[in-house]
Amino acid sequence: MIHVSYGCAIAIFCIGLYTLITKRNLFKTVIGLSIMEGGVLLFMVASGFIPEAGPPLLPMVGGSVNPLPHTFPLTAIVIGASDVALALAYIIKIHRHYGTVDVDKIRGLRG
Amino acid sequence: MNPVLAVVAPLSVGFLVPLVHIFKKRHTGMSVIISAGICSVVSAVVALSGWDGVAVTMGGWTPELGISLMVDRLSGAFLLLAATGFPISLACSMESFGYSPWRFYVLFFLSWGAVNGIILTGDLFNMFVFFEIFSVAAYLMVSYPPRSWQAVEASFKYLIFGTVGAMFLLLGIAYSFMATGQLNLGILSQMMASVPPVTLSVIGGCLVVGLFVKSGTAPTHFWLPDAHSSAQTSVSALLSGVLVKVSVYALIRLSFLLFFPVMREVFSVILFLGTLSVILGHLMAFQQEDIKRLLAYSTVAQIGTILIGVGCASSFGVSAAVYHCFNHMTAKMGLFLVAGALAEDRASRDISHMSGLWAHRPLFVAAFALFAVSLAGIPPFSGFMSKWLLLLASTKEGHIVPALAIVAGTVVSSAYYLKVLRAFFSPSETPVPHRRPRPVSGRLVALLSVLCVLLAAAPFIPGASSVLFSVGDSAVDGASYRDVVLGK
């Protein structure tokens, strides 16, 4: 079953990358970035799973899943949020100047 | 000295600058200068005192659980590179911006702290976190001051590429954690032998792609010319001189620790993409009309040259690559400082408008010629020495095509630097519109040209050459890294 979660996470990552590459709208580019990040985070969370183990709570009964990979996404979420916030701030500035968010109409972002 | 100080000092300065600005506004400039000096000295002392290997694990944990910080010769060399490059860039930005933009100095010191962190850390996830601190600071520095539209666009592009690179890096880190349950580089390097080859290739692919994007290697270099050319002069110098090298450091460190004993194919990929960068970078630079874009494409090519040294997978190759990092830093920072100053005087970055500058600023143009000759690889200068060592390293391992690419690149780069110099020396009908005195830039350019000449002597002095080649040994030797980190 856990393989399905890994597969889903990687599929989400690839969807994000596809969005980033194909869409010409700056907002959709940032959405793609966000989706990619979601895929990686899901992957990390899923990697802590151990079959037939309980939650890592005291008192411990039997085995528990590995709680360490669940702490990495917390840091990564903060980093991703700051990246997305900065990207959106830049989009606002670009939109103010050009009046468009279409990559093809913005001079410097071609190619 | 405790390695953590090299990370803590710039980060704490970064957070103290706003407080100084609020409470002691008159002293902001002076305190920034003094604290930059302190940070630089602290980094250099950490690098030199840890030359034979020093490691600490934060919070009193064992290396399996805690975050290790570690200095050895490879990281010491790059710490010294950062400790030289950052103050030069700071002095230049002080001259052009003055003391007032304290926000810029906050970003500057944050990126310095993060760069030192990447160099020192022995923990994979911690490296990712520092990478993102430095990247976010770099995105903002590229678009500083936020009035220039071109810079905002370049910065947005850099952000998109940088974040994609970071996501690949994070995926690689997640895979390696899944495969081994460890993040400490020393322990990981031991456990990589037990990882199945398919998983190993996935880990290697993700990490290497992430670092290629971050360092601006050929197929993913699109952000680099935009970001480096539209940033302010001092920031361009910093980006090309130091910040790109940090990704190269991470690439050297990770590839040798994790993949050197178990999977040599990673180095073939590095070698291939390095060669591609050399060819593409030089050819693209040849076509540019904008002087800063030309220098930025030349950076892509020089990063490729450095990666050829890494891809040789030998101690000699890494030593030559590190040596070329230093030579490229001195020459390219100098080139950006001169080009920025002359472009501001001419009020244009177009090479065809750059005539009459020899009569206008002869010393700057002479320094430009020196740096250009050195970087193109003409004999008595430092760029030639490191390219020669890289050629030797590459042919010694039997890689003929990369060596030929370096040689062909030398020819092409001489052609495009001569194009720029011809424009500088040709007489002009219109007088140069601006003439702002630049005492600080002038001294920095003089310092960099002295460094550029002195570095050429390094392989001939017996003591210096043995130091240089021991850097490569420490990069290749995973066992001694493990001994230092695990405290044996």
Side-chain angles (χ1 to χ4, degrees):
Chain A
M1 250 335 256
I2 189 66
H3 293 289
V4 178
S5 351
Y6 293 153
C8 281
I10 297 303
I12 292 171
F13 183 84
C14 294
I15 291 170
L17 196 60
Y18 176 78
T19 315
L20 196 80
I21 293 168
T22 52
K23 297 294 174 197
R24 311 304 294 169
N25 182 320
L26 293 183
F27 281 109
K28 289 182 181 164
T29 314
V30 177
I31 291 171
L33 214 60
S34 211
I35 293 174
M36 267 176 92
E37 191 205 340
V40 184
L41 297 182
L42 278 179
F43 185 77
M44 288 176 101
V45 171
S47 73
F49 179 75
I50 294 168
E52 291 170 19
L57 295 174
L58 290 173
M60 296 271 275
V61 183
S64 79
V65 297
N66 185 358
L68 193 58
H70 301 169
T71 57
F72 301 142
L74 289 179
T75 317
I77 285 168
V78 174
I79 292 169
S82 61
D83 277 337
V84 169
L86 190 58
L88 293 176
Y90 281 136
I91 293 178
I92 292 173
K93 278 203 159 279
I94 291 171
H95 184 262
R96 272 194 197 144
H97 185 66
Y98 290 103
T100 176
V101 288
D102 189 339
V103 180
D104 294 325
K105 291 181 184 141
I106 298 170
R107 182 179 47 82
L109 291 177
R110 266 185 234 141
Chain B
M1 202 183 226
N2 194 330
V4 74
L5 287 174
V7 185
V8 168
L11 281 184
S12 50
V13 173
F15 291 113
L16 285 176
V17 168
L19 290 178
V20 175
H21 175 78
I22 291 170
F23 293 111
K24 294 268 181 205
K25 207 173 227 166
R26 281 183 300 117
H27 303 302
T28 313
M30 196 39 79
S31 54
V32 165
I33 293 172
I34 292 172
S35 44
I38 294 172
C39 294
S40 180
V41 169
V42 167
S43 313
V45 170
V46 166
L48 295 178
S49 68
W51 196 247
D52 291 318
V54 172
V56 289
T57 304
M58 306 305 297
W61 297 94
T62 54
E64 289 85 356
L65 297 173
I67 291 172
S68 301
L69 293 177
M70 143 90 181
V71 201
D72 66 349
R73 292 175 187 207
L74 181 67
S75 35
F78 277 88
L79 264 187
L80 287 177
L81 186 131
T84 336
F86 272 97
I88 292 174
S89 163
L90 185 79
C92 177
S93 36
M94 284 253 162
E95 188 187 45
S96 52
F97 302 152
Y99 301 144
S100 50
W102 57 275
R103 291 183 183 86
F104 176 80
Y105 298 120
V106 173
L107 295 172
F108 185 90
F109 281 100
L110 286 184
S111 68
W112 193 347
V115 162
N116 281 357
I118 295 171
I119 294 171
L120 289 173
T121 188
D123 182 281
L124 211 46
F125 191 74
N126 197 27
M127 185 182 268
F128 166 76
V129 173
F130 278 128
F131 248 114
E132 282 308 282
I133 298 174
F134 126 72
S135 301
V136 171
Y139 308 147
L140 284 164
M141 284 203 291
V142 167
S143 67
Y144 190 88
R147 289 187 297 278
S148 140
W149 294 110
Q150 209 187 358
V152 169
E153 290 165 23
S155 181
F156 182 77
K157 205 169 177 180
Y158 185 12
L159 190 151
I160 297 294
F161 272 90
T163 313
V164 171
M167 287 306 137
F168 271 101
L169 203 59
L170 189 59
L171 196 61
I173 292 168
Y175 266 121
S176 53
F177 182 79
M178 260 175 80
T180 59
Q182 281 294 338
L183 286 171
N184 187 294
L185 284 176
I187 302 168
L188 264 180
S189 68
Q190 228 164 6
M191 295 177 77
M192 275 296 166
S194 60
V195 174
V198 179
T199 318
L200 206 59
S201 53
V202 175
I203 296 173
C206 290
L207 288 179
V208 165
V209 166
L211 290 172
F212 277 155
V213 177
K214 289 260 179 200
S215 63
T217 317
T220 50
H221 66 280
F222 302 105
W223 62 269
L224 194 144
D226 285 327
H228 288 213
S229 62
S230 45
Q232 296 289 316
T233 304
S234 58
V235 179
S236 315
L238 185 69
L239 282 169
S240 258
V242 183
L243 298 187
V244 176
K245 305 293 189 310
V246 176
S247 312
V248 173
Y249 165 80
L251 192 65
I252 297 177
R253 189 46 106 199
L254 294 185
S255 58
F256 276 95
L257 274 182
L258 305 185
F259 304 111
F260 185 60
V262 286
M263 201 179 173
R264 293 294 180 94
E265 289 82 356
V266 168
F267 292 96
S268 313
V269 174
I270 294 175
L271 193 68
F272 175 71
L273 290 182
T275 315
L276 194 67
S277 298
V278 171
I279 297 168
L280 262 178
H282 280 310
L283 288 180
M284 290 301 289
F286 188 66
Q287 296 171 355
Q288 300 306 315
E289 289 301 319
D290 178 332
I291 185 164
K292 284 180 86 175
R293 259 186 110 75
L294 183 148
L295 295 178
Y297 271 111
S298 152
T299 299
V300 174
Q302 300 296 338
I303 291 297
T305 316
I306 294 167
L307 289 186
I308 287 177
V310 180
C312 290
S314 65
S315 151
F316 186 64
V318 176
S319 309
V322 173
Y323 184 38
H324 196 67
C325 282
F326 274 87
N327 296 336
H328 178 243
M329 183 197 73
T330 51
K332 193 47 75 62
M333 284 189 100
L335 284 174
F336 265 117
L337 292 188
V338 174
L342 295 180
E344 270 176 41
D345 283 356
R346 255 292 172 213
S348 162
R349 298 203 313 231
D350 208 320
I351 294 172
S352 54
H353 297 167
M354 290 269 175
S355 53
L357 287 166
W358 166 249
H360 174 64
R361 275 187 198 278
L363 287 177
F364 271 50
V365 172
F368 189 96
L370 173 79
F371 296 133
V373 160
S374 161
L375 212 52
I378 310 289
F381 298 106
S382 56
F384 167 76
M385 295 311 300
S386 50
K387 272 192 180 172
W388 179 249
L389 292 180
L390 284 168
L391 283 178
L392 280 182
S394 165
T395 45
K396 210 181 248 177
E397 301 294 316
H399 306 305
I400 303 301
V401 177
L404 286 177
I406 294 179
V407 176
T410 300
V411 178
V412 179
S413 61
S414 321
Y416 61 71
Y417 283 127
L418 281 178
K419 183 175 82 174
V420 178
L421 286 172
R422 196 180 66 181
F424 283 169
F425 283 106
S426 61
S428 132
E429 299 86 46
T430 51
V432 179
H434 304 288
R435 185 175 174 86
R436 202 181 128 193
R438 295 179 188 279
V440 181
S441 288
R443 290 199 178 102
L444 291 176
V445 168
L447 172 74
L448 286 169
S449 17
V450 170
L451 276 179
C452 188
V453 174
L454 285 185
L455 274 173
F460 295 115
I461 304 166
S465 69
S466 66
V467 166
L468 180 66
F469 292 121
S470 69
V471 168
D473 290 337
S474 85
V476 176
D477 192 359
S480 66
Y481 185 93
R482 280 194 287 278
D483 288 349
V484 174
V485 168
L486 304 178
K488 277 178 194 149

